Amino acid sequence: MTKAKSLFTDSSSPKRADLLSIPGVMRASDLKLAPSSGTSAGEWKEFVLSAFRTRLSAQTIKAEPYQTEYAAKELYQALLKKTPSDREWAVLFRLFAAFYSFSSLADQLDEASLAPEVAERAAYDVLFYFVDEAYDAAKMTGSALPFAFESYIEQLRQDAGRLLGFPFEQFPAARLDIYRLLWESLFTRTEWRTAELERIAPAPGSSTVQYAAYLHQLYLLGDMEQFIAQSASAPADIFPYFLHWLQASKRSSRFIAVLRGAASLARDGLLTIENEYSRRLFVRQLIRLIEEDEASELAPLLVKELYTSLLPFSYVSLSYFLIGRGDYAEWVDLQLLIDADITDLDRAGLKSVAKEAPELALPLLHHGIRGFIAERNRSSYKKAVRFMKRMRTIYKKLKQTDEFDRWLEWILGETKRLRAFQEECRKGGLLDD
């Protein structure tokens, strides 16, 4: 007998017993009779749900929460070993297994009432794993739907809507993901989507995920006017879900409409993202999509509005956007608002402003010079003098040298006790003219 074959000699081995005691780990033979193409949709559903209720109950999860991911994946793989032999039915069964594994696990997690941070660590990854599995199967299933599949698809369609509300309270992003992917790739008939739109119309007490599902149906139906109108009255915390629609609509006629909907929520919606790092990451993803779609060329005012709402995380993009469009006054206002370091602005547009609209550069130079002087060190004084000389050049260009002379006299009087600064002014030739 080989070493591999003798690893577990029989089911009574202590090691074998320990392995099978891990929540969710099971023999394929522990499952009910294998489903087949002749088994009803309800029986397929119950086949998956009963396996989870038996092997990964709420009590089991509560007792050992951090075994959940491993146990759920093992159980799912055991379910797939019972896949029907026919290829088309096998793909459909994989979809059932992934969807109802997600559904049952979400049920059990809610019942387990874990602390939010514990539930997140325990099950976040495996829930999205089931979402990916369902997506892959749905794409293959949706390419051709034989008549024999209709009752199975109808079962999934009825239960997909249940993901949006009670008893599913946790993991709203995962729930919405699997809902959206099924409606995008599988439930494609217009009459289905219209009926679903009516069924989930927002009402007092509707959750954010329900509102997002409603917007998704409007998006799928192509009713972008209503999509924009409903976005404006949506809860602010729906804002992060717009990344999905922006990605889906990239380089299509719907992109600008989705962007308009996102812009109406951006200012308050950004604050609903939990921390600064996550906000910065989100804005970076959003701006990348905008740039890839070249939306700045198609709807510049909308892009400017959105970038402004996303400050300070959109500062660099907004700065380059304004310079690129020649909006020099607004560019200067932005730098003053952000209190940008003037030494960094030469590469970011200051030279262009000084050349094209020199009078607009003066407030920024005044502000930067005052900041350097306030730092009270020789290195900063040298920087101040360098920009003072540039400012003098601009005043000469504007034929306003008297204005510069009066300002220089005032600033020297204000800083007469700062000997190092006075010395740098002298070295820089500002006191000799």
Side-chain angles (χ1 to χ4, degrees), residues 164-390:
L164 303 179
F166 182 83
F168 298 98
E169 301 296 336
Q170 297 179 329
F171 302 103
R175 290 188 284 118
L176 183 62
D177 259 18
I178 199 166
Y179 175 88
R180 289 198 287 199
L181 75 86
L182 287 174
W183 277 100
E184 286 171 5
S185 58
L186 194 62
F187 311 141
T188 56
R189 295 180 185 172
T190 300
E191 60 268 27
W192 286 349
R193 291 172 174 174
T194 302
E196 180 72 359
L197 181 71
E198 294 174 359
R199 188 185 73 81
I200 62 175
S206 293
S207 67
T208 298
V209 73
Q210 289 170 326
Y211 216 115
Y214 180 72
L215 288 179
H216 191 59
Q217 294 299 336
L218 288 171
Y219 175 84
L220 292 176
L221 288 166
D223 190 348
M224 302 314 292
E225 287 188 12
Q226 271 300 306
F227 182 94
I228 295 170
Q230 292 296 328
S231 295
S233 58
D237 56 352
I238 206 173
F239 179 59
Y241 295 127
F242 274 80
L243 277 184
H244 176 92
W245 296 308
L246 288 168
Q247 180 66 51
S249 63
K250 193 169 59 174
R251 296 192 176 89
S252 80
S253 59
R254 298 183 186 183
F255 186 85
I256 297 302
V258 174
L259 199 63
R260 201 172 299 282
S264 67
L265 296 168
R267 193 179 303 278
D268 294 332
L270 188 62
L271 298 177
T272 67
I273 300 175
E274 59 184 349
N275 57 58
E276 182 171 324
Y277 173 78
S278 297
R279 292 172 191 170
R280 190 176 302 280
L281 179 61
F282 176 85
V283 171
R284 187 182 306 150
Q285 293 174 308
L286 179 59
I287 288 175
R288 177 177 56 79
L289 290 172
I290 291 171
E291 291 175 347
E292 287 177 359
D293 195 79
E294 300 179 351
S296 297
E297 300 297 322
L298 300 172
L301 295 180
L302 175 61
V303 170
K304 182 166 71 172
E305 175 192 345
L306 184 58
Y307 283 177
T308 302
S309 297
L310 297 174
L311 287 171
F313 306 105
S314 59
Y315 159 69
V316 172
S317 296
L318 179 57
S319 185
Y320 280 113
F321 172 85
L322 294 173
I323 279 292
R325 289 184 54 79
D327 294 336
Y328 301 124
E330 291 187 56
W331 183 86
V332 170
D333 289 342
L334 174 63
Q335 311 314 319
L336 293 172
L337 175 67
I338 296 296
D339 196 19
D341 186 337
I342 196 171
T343 55
D344 296 331
L345 294 182
D346 274 345
R347 295 186 300 275
L350 180 57
K351 288 182 179 178
S352 297
V353 176
K355 178 180 179 181
E356 301 296 334
E359 69 282 359
L360 296 177
L362 291 174
L364 195 55
L365 290 168
H366 279 288
H367 179 75
I369 291 166
R370 285 197 301 271
F372 288 137
I373 295 172
E375 291 176 8
R376 301 293 181 93
N377 63 73
R378 190 172 288 273
S379 175
S380 295
Y381 294 154
K382 289 180 179 179
K383 292 178 184 177
V385 169
R386 176 156 55 91
F387 283 99
M388 287 166 70
K389 292 168 71 175
R390 290 178 62 176

Side-chain angles (χ1 to χ4, degrees), residues 73-111:
K73 287 183 178 180
E74 285 290 323
L75 182 50
Y76 174 67
Q77 293 302 322
L79 290 167
L80 292 184
K81 290 177 182 177
K82 296 291 188 175
T83 299
S85 57
D86 181 88
R87 184 181 179 280
E88 286 186 335
W89 287 95
V91 173
L92 181 62
F93 178 73
R94 180 186 170 193
L95 174 58
F96 260 67
F99 177 80
Y100 288 109
S101 291
F102 179 101
S103 178
S104 185
L105 181 56
D107 256 338
Q108 305 304 328
L109 284 163
D110 272 307
E111 189 178 333

Side-chain angles (χ1 to χ4, degrees), residues 392-408:
R392 180 179 61 183
T393 299
I394 291 175
Y395 273 112
K396 284 182 178 179
K397 184 177 180 179
L398 296 173
K399 298 180 180 180
Q400 296 177 7
T401 53
D402 289 348
E403 286 288 325
F404 176 78
D405 292 341
R406 282 194 293 270
W407 175 82
L408 179 61

